[in-house]
Amino acid sequence: DAMVIQNPRYQVTQFGKPVTLSCSQTLNHNVMYWYQQKSSQAPKLLFHYYDKDFNNEADTPDNFQSRRPNTSFCFLDIRSPGLGDAAMYLCATSSLLSQGAHEQYFGPGTRLTVT
Amino acid sequence: AQKVTQAQTEISVVEKEDVTLDCVYETRDTTYYLFWYKQPPSGELVFLIRRNSFDEQNEISGRYSWNFQKSTSSFNFTITASQVVDSAVYFCALSEAYTGTASKLTFGTGTRLQVTL
């Protein structure tokens, strides 16, 4: 089945230790998004890729970086995780081939714990 | 600026009851899109519906129905004969028309629906 896959589902890292979360998709969508969702809050967009073009949200901390080596994969790197970065990280994709607004398809998320 | 308000933080119903989740939005755009997503305990956000600002027809899909009213800037979601599997957090979201590189979603804060036997 076509889908958005995130690995791992649960990640524990130490304060200050770099961590990478991964996302892959079989939908062949040209846009990939990374969201941060803290407990009982709405998802917050960190950045997105339109093809290979990276688009950062103005309030995304520098601590968060992303890579998209090809259409299928996208990575979220947290250079020096702090306790405040503990959250669910959601990857999403959408296809923007025409005018309009297109629904985003989400992966199951990676729950990050920082100790 | 765009804004989505879901005033109901949590709703609890007994199975087979009907329940309506409210969503009120603000935008200056004349063209915009509204969405509902379901987030079960597993965490994945599941797309339910998209509606554009020019289509005010109500939609029904099985036990789910949506009422879009531009006059009140509302896009409410009703579940008929609720079931335990409907228990989840439901997010309403708003997007401006595609302007270049993405359709960015502005989410409401979500409504947690608990359906009990």
Side-chain angles (χ1 to χ4, degrees):
Chain A
D1 288 344
M3 58 175 61
V4 182
I5 302 162
Q6 290 188 246
N7 285 307
R9 294 291 311 275
Y10 300 90
Q11 176 74 57
V12 180
T13 191
Q14 292 178 335
F15 182 93
K17 185 175 180 181
V19 65
T20 294
L21 310 181
S22 74
C23 176
S24 64
Q25 55 132 338
T26 60
L27 298 161
N28 204 33
H29 285 170
N30 53 350
V31 187
M32 294 187 78
Y33 309 78
W34 277 104
Y35 289 85
Q36 179 193 64
Q37 186 180 24
K38 295 190 176 180
S39 183
S40 301
Q41 295 184 20
K44 178 180 179 298
L45 182 63
L46 296 173
F47 26 60
H48 73 274
Y49 272 96
Y50 176 73
D51 290 328
K52 293 196 170 193
D53 294 332
F54 178 68
N55 297 270
N56 201 26
E57 292 301 297
D59 56 355
T60 298
D62 293 340
N63 198 25
F64 291 87
Q65 311 262 308
S66 186
R67 295 169 283 136
R68 188 179 187 187
N70 54 52
T71 300
S72 301
F73 285 87
C74 195
F75 299 99
L76 169 62
D77 300 309
I78 308 176
R79 289 192 299 187
S80 182
L83 296 179
D85 297 327
M88 174 77 89
Y89 289 88
L90 295 162
C91 174
T93 72
S94 67
S95 175
L96 288 181
L97 299 177
S98 61
Q99 289 288 331
H102 299 258
E103 56 269 25
Q104 296 180 19
Y105 293 91
F106 286 80
T110 294
R111 185 167 298 282
L112 178 68
T113 301
V114 181
T115 60
Chain B
Q2 298 183 325
K3 185 179 178 182
V4 176
T5 301
Q6 294 180 255
Q8 304 150 308
T9 306
E10 192 158 344
I11 300 175
S12 196
V13 299
V14 177
E15 201 175 41
K16 296 183 184 167
E17 285 185 6
D18 299 347
V19 58
T20 295
L21 310 182
D22 297 333
C23 173
V24 174
Y25 62 92
E26 295 175 31
T27 179
R28 293 180 185 172
D29 295 332
T30 54
T31 301
Y32 53 88
Y33 298 79
L34 295 161
F35 301 80
W36 275 95
Y37 282 86
K38 173 183 179 180
Q39 188 173 40
S42 59
E44 179 177 354
L45 276 157
V46 178
F47 166 74
L48 296 178
I49 189 172
R50 177 186 70 188
R51 176 63 82 217
N52 74 54
S53 53
F54 298 110
D55 182 2
E56 282 194 76
Q57 269 198 318
N58 290 334
E59 176 140 351
I60 299 174
S61 175
R63 296 184 297 107
Y64 295 171
S65 62
W66 291 269
N67 183 302
F68 176 30
Q69 297 211 351
K70 286 179 77 170
S71 61
T72 55
S73 296
S74 66
F75 186 43
N76 296 338
F77 173 29
T78 297
I79 302 175
T80 304
S82 59
Q83 299 176 2
V84 172
V85 293
D86 296 326
S87 297
V89 180
Y90 290 85
F91 289 96
C92 180
L94 169 69
S95 177
E96 62 191 8
Y98 163 51
T99 56
T101 65
S103 288
K104 295 186 184 180
L105 294 173
T106 299
F107 285 93
T109 50
T111 297
R112 181 177 299 278
L113 174 65
Q114 185 73 36
V115 182
T116 56
L117 292 170

